[in-house]
């Protein structure tokens, strides 16, 4: 059964249908190109997470929980701790280093298995930066200034780092360096993926077929979990409000306190209405995704509870669901030797794949096989003449 799933692309059918419905993606991904891609490139799934803080419920329900599922149904999966992306916002070096180790421990505690996945730290494979330079030379500034994340994040800044502007180019390099065919993304990342598709297409036309056309695997939960303090915004590692997110490894008393303080409204009933009642609806959606029940089922079960009582009930559910992750995390985080070993082995495996793509790119764009091979030929010619 498992091998049938592995050998087919059926698991991606629903995500592909979603991507097909996006006009621009459709243009890039003609059915013909897709079929050709399927023949040329084996399925490889790749995604990343920034070590900008502790993994929260939004990251887990929107991404990491799905990663664990992909790992179980497909053998070629690559997860990256994208520290190079993280430094596009100011980071304290000591904290960044700690976060990388803590995120590694949390991912393993969530079920990422290094024997089934490649898990590595982005900056330990320098070819990400090298390929990003190549792609940066093929990308225009108007195209980059259209990227929504840049617009959103730069709005708040007086001095905008260049890295924030070129972030999507590095993301393109992350994806294409591994010839990833599928990329789990939130809907907010669709345009970044379109840039990766555009770059792949541009490169393939100019230098010959080199990269697959990466397709999004859209998780409907991505970006859906909102801040507990500002329910109009997504739950975020870098929020200025301390009680806005629940981290997977938060102790029970913290989870209880933060949920108790979650912003709701003056209606005491528990209903699901994200437009009119974003605060309580966010709690319902967290509950619903965690328990694999529909929001309606959650509201039906909560009948008779006011929002204050419901928050305490939800806190118990969240604490119990996260307990195994927290306990495993505590064991792992006290074993930095093992965590470093996991990252090192992930780096070795990632480097192997990346080196092959990077040599191919270098040779196609004229970075290798030039001076060196000519010199070798000249030497050979001289040798033959003198003999
Ligand atoms: N609130 C969310 N709900 C659902 N999914 C979410 N993701 C992030 N926030 C939510 C998904 O988590 C994955 C990893 O995200 P990331 O670390 O690469 O960056 P991000 O999306 O910018 O997440 P944060 O927590 O908001 O980080 P900061 O504060 O550093 O920008 C992605 O797949 C994302 O969709």
């Amino acid at each position: 059964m498992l091998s049938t799933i592995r050998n087919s692309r059926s698991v991606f059918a629903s995500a592909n249908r979603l991507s097909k419905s996006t006009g621009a993606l459709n243009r890039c991904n003609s059915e013909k190109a897709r079929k050709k891609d399927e023949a040329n490139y084996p399925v490889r799934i790749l995604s990343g997470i920034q070590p900008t803080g502790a993994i929260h419920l939004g990251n887990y329900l929107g991404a990491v929980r799905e990663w664990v599922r992909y790992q179980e149904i497909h053998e070629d999966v690559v997860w990256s701790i994208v520290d190079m992306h993280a430094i596009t916002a100011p980071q304290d070096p000591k904290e960044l280093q700690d976060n990388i180790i803590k995120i590694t421990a949390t991912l393993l505690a969530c079920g990422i298995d290094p024997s089934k996945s490649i898990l590595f730290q982005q900056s330990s494979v320098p070819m990400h930066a090298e390929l990003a330079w190549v792609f940066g030379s093929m990308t225009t500034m108007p195209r980059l200034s259209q990227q929504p994340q840049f617009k959103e994040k730069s709005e708040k800044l007086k001095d905008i780092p260049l890295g924030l502007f070129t972030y999507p180019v590095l993301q393109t390099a992350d994806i294409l360096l591994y010839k990833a065919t599928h990329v789990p993304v939130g809907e907010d990342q669709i345009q970044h993926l379109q840039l990766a598709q555009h770059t792949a297409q541009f490169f393939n036309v100019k230098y010959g077929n080199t990269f697959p056309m990466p397709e999004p695997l859209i998780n409907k939960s991505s970006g859906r979990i909102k801040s507990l303090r500002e329910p109009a915004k997504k739950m975020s590692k870098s929020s200025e409000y301390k009680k806005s997110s629940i981290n997977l490894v938060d102790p029970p008393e913290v989870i209880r306190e933060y949920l108790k303080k979650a912003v709701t409204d003056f209606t005491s009933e528990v209903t699901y209405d994200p437009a009119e009642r974003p605060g309580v609806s966010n709690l319902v959606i967290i509950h619903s995704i965690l328990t694999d029940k529909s929001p309606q089922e959650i509201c039906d079960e909560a009948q008779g509870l006011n929002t204050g009582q419901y928050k305490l009930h939800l806190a118990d559910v969240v604490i119990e669901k996260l307990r195994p992750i927290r306990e495993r995390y505590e064991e792992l985080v006290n074993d930095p030797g093992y965590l470093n070993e996991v990252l090192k082995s992930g780096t070795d495996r990632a480097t192997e794949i990346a080196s092959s793509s990077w040599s191919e790119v270098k040779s196609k764009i004229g970075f290798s096989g030039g001076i060196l091979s000519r010199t070798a030929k000249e030497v050979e010619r001289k040798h033959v003449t003198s003999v």
Side-chain angles (χ1 to χ4, degrees), residues 49-50 52 56 58-59 153 221 223 225 234-238:
I49 186 160
Q50 298 186 73
T52 40
H56 52 69
N59 298 134
K153 291 205 168 174
S221 313
I225 308 301
K234 72 168 193 164
M235 189 176 279
S236 196
K237 290 187 223 85
S238 50

Side-chain angles (χ1 to χ4, degrees), residues 228-229 243 256-264 311:
L228 299 180
R229 303 302 304 161
K243 296 178 182 173
R256 204 168 280 116
E257 190 201 333
Y258 286 14
L259 279 173
K260 241 162 89 177
K261 298 254 163 75
V263 168
T264 48
K311 284 175 182 177

Side-chain angles (χ1 to χ4, degrees), residues 210-272:
T210 311
F211 298 113
M213 205 58 71
E215 293 204 31
L217 291 172
I218 301 169
N219 180 358
K220 282 189 268 159
S221 313
S222 288
R224 268 175 96 194
I225 308 301
K226 306 295 182 197
S227 155
L228 299 180
R229 303 302 304 161
E230 304 168 286
K233 296 190 179 163
K234 72 168 193 164
M235 189 176 279
S236 196
K237 290 187 223 85
S238 50
S239 165
E240 63 214 76
Y241 294 108
K242 194 165 163 255
K243 296 178 182 173
S244 67
S245 58
I246 289 176
N247 298 332
L248 299 192
V249 297
D250 277 342
E253 58 279 13
V254 168
I255 298 178
R256 204 168 280 116
E257 190 201 333
Y258 286 14
L259 279 173
K260 241 162 89 177
K261 298 254 163 75
V263 168
T264 48
D265 49 35
F266 296 110
T267 308
S268 72
E269 217 183 319
V270 178
T271 58
Y272 182 65

Side-chain angles (χ1 to χ4, degrees), residues 26-137:
N26 225 355
R27 281 197 293 282
C28 267
N29 267 340
S30 72
E31 204 50 41
K32 213 167 136 203
R34 193 193 318 280
K35 288 221 171 89
K36 199 166 147 217
D37 255 15
E38 285 180 18
N40 286 343
Y41 302 101
V43 173
R44 176 171 290 141
I45 307 175
L46 176 143
S47 196
I49 186 160
Q50 298 186 73
T52 40
I55 296 185
H56 52 69
L57 261 183
N59 298 134
Y60 179 61
L61 299 177
V64 177
R65 199 172 74 146
E66 294 304 308
W67 295 3
V68 175
R69 288 182 180 165
Y70 290 133
Q71 162 195 276
E72 297 307 326
I73 56 171
H74 198 276
E75 60 196 11
D76 204 344
V77 285
V78 181
W79 315 122
S80 178
I81 299 175
V82 289
D83 50 354
M84 290 164 71
H85 287 282
I87 60 163
T88 56
Q91 302 294 333
D92 172 78
K94 171 80 182 70
E95 243 174 67
L96 182 62
Q97 201 173 16
D98 279 356
N99 282 338
I100 291 167
I101 282 297
K102 285 180 183 164
I103 282 199
T104 307
T106 315
L107 290 174
L108 298 180
C110 288
I112 296 293
D113 178 345
S115 71
K116 295 178 182 164
S117 296
I118 296 179
L119 173 63
F120 75 105
Q121 182 184 340
Q122 182 189 29
S123 66
S124 66
V125 181
M127 289 165 278
H128 287 252
E130 293 178 293
L131 188 59
W133 184 259
V134 172
F135 289 159
S137 310

